[in-house]
Amino acid sequence: MAKSNLHSSIDFRKVARELTVVENNLPGAAEVLKSLPYNTTPITGITGPPGAGKSTLVNAIISALLVKGKKVAILAIDPTSPFNFGSLLGDRIRMVTHFNHPDVFIRSLATRGSLGGLSAKTIEMADVLRSSGFDHIIIETVGVGQSEVEIAGLADQTFVVLVPEAGDEIQNIKSGLMEIADAFIINKADREGADSFINNLKKIIHQKEGMQIPVLRAVATKNEGIDEIAGMILTPPQTPNSRRELLLTQKAYNLIQQSRMAGINKKKLQLDIAEALKEKYFNLYIFVEKVLKG
């Protein structure tokens, strides 16, 4: 993780502490979140299937933004081990060149079994970063399940990264992916079949009435096409993000639900259910209603 120095106005240690408190729901987490000032620091979401070279691409984008004098925070959503719920932290390894840069903050976050590919804490951690003085925030996520839709609700712009090898699957690209992409980035565009893949993708996009989604070529390992991508990141989107309302509604619902469940002791609940099951006409929903009424 990057460290602050005399030239940086952001206290990276403070940011790291707040992220840890929020991520693990430690004492004081609620106070941290409620104290955050409203901030509209732009967030760029980068998603796509495993193997698309997302982390290498993000690494190159960071360099381009640093040249522009920007302070950048990266939240890398890592796959979680099914055995110990530990993050693989592969993204950090690929971004190692920026670890100690005074204007770069990198944080990995395990999905923790979230079916959508985003941790339930992603929104909260993004809010902490948004309020910490960065110019731009990049969230890189695993391209599985509902994660693309979720990241589109959180980010101001969402880039979907694909590679030419996905050619056989291009006809199966979900319409949902089309709807959330503000741009498609074809990484490793120097590989064989890239031109054909890009042309086919453009045809599919144009078949969607009224859609004008850019398709950008990139070779992240050679720094090709990165300036154009950085230019899009630095250009505010013209249309408001209509998905944020849905995402935050769900988040608010979950927070209210958690709050109402705070006084429920699961062990006692199990004992009460065991007792209630002895009744001849046990009804789970009547039981739950009684619990909620106290």
Side-chain angles (χ1 to χ4, degrees):
M1 187 179 298
K3 298 176 183 178
S4 59
N5 66 11
L6 294 176
H7 302 290
S8 177
S9 59
I10 302 173
D11 185 344
F12 280 21
R13 289 185 179 181
K14 178 175 181 288
V15 175
R17 281 196 303 270
E18 290 183 344
L19 288 174
T20 297
V21 167
V22 168
E23 179 183 5
N24 298 291
N25 203 30
L26 300 176
E31 287 70 22
V32 167
L33 292 170
K34 285 187 285 187
S35 70
L36 297 177
Y38 177 74
N39 197 291
T40 56
T41 301
I43 293 178
T44 298
I46 294 184
T47 188
K54 295 187 295 294
S55 297
T56 305
L57 184 73
V58 169
N59 196 49
I61 292 170
I62 294 169
S63 296
L65 294 176
L66 289 174
V67 169
K68 301 284 187 182
K70 305 300 182 183
K71 297 181 188 299
V72 189
I74 296 89
L75 192 57
I77 314 297
D78 286 322
T80 301
S81 162
F83 303 106
N84 60 12
F85 289 94
S87 172
L88 299 181
L89 304 181
D91 298 294
R92 278 183 160 179
I93 294 169
R94 283 184 283 275
M95 296 178 199
V96 69
T97 53
H98 296 300
F99 275 0
N100 294 315
H101 196 287
D103 293 329
V104 179
F105 183 95
I106 301 171
R107 179 75 172 226
S108 292
L109 173 63
T111 56
R112 299 193 176 190
S114 171
L115 294 177
L118 285 190
S119 165
K121 289 293 180 182
T122 306
I123 297 174
E124 296 173 11
M125 294 177 75
D127 284 338
V128 171
L129 291 173
R130 249 189 168 136
S131 303
S132 298
F134 295 99
D135 297 307
H136 290 275
I137 298 164
I138 295 174
I139 298 181
E140 180 200 334
T141 183
V142 185
V144 293
Q146 291 296 310
S147 64
E148 292 94 350
V149 178
E150 291 178 5
I151 195 66
L154 182 58
D156 298 283
Q157 296 187 85
T158 301
F159 297 157
V160 176
V161 184
L162 300 172
V163 287
E165 287 80 0
D168 294 338
E169 305 165 13
I170 195 167
Q171 298 297 336
N172 298 322
I173 290 178
K174 299 173 186 175
S175 60
L177 202 59
M178 291 288 180
E179 290 166 7
I180 65 104
D182 293 294
F184 283 99
I185 299 173
I186 311 308
N187 193 25
K188 307 178 185 178
D190 56 344
R191 292 188 175 181
E192 186 178 351
D195 291 340
S196 175
F197 176 80
I198 291 169
N199 288 334
N200 287 336
L201 178 59
K202 286 179 177 178
K203 286 177 185 175
I204 292 173
I205 292 170
H206 292 152
Q207 286 170 3
K208 302 283 183 180
E209 187 177 351
M211 298 190 81
Q212 299 293 326
I213 304 173
V215 178
L216 310 177
R217 303 172 70 104
V219 184
T221 54
K222 299 178 182 177
N223 212 41
E224 294 176 7
I226 302 304
D227 286 343
E228 187 178 2
I229 297 168
M232 281 197 69
I233 289 175
L234 294 171
T235 304
Q238 300 301 309
T239 54
N241 185 350
S242 59
R243 295 175 190 82
R244 179 166 297 155
E245 182 181 309
L246 294 173
L247 184 77
L248 295 184
T249 298
Q250 183 61 42
K251 180 66 176 176
Y253 179 87
N254 292 344
L255 289 171
I256 292 168
Q257 192 176 46
Q258 288 170 18
S259 177
R260 289 185 171 177
M261 289 293 291
I264 304 296
N265 183 306
K266 195 171 182 180
K267 188 64 179 176
K268 181 178 183 303
L269 190 64
Q270 183 179 344
L271 293 173
D272 290 344
I273 283 182
E275 192 63 32
L277 282 170
K278 296 175 182 177
E279 299 174 9
K280 188 175 181 180
Y281 300 107
F282 172 75
N283 182 294
L284 175 64
Y285 306 98
I286 293 174
F287 172 85
V288 169
E289 184 179 47
K290 289 179 179 177
V291 171
L292 290 174
K293 287 181 178 178

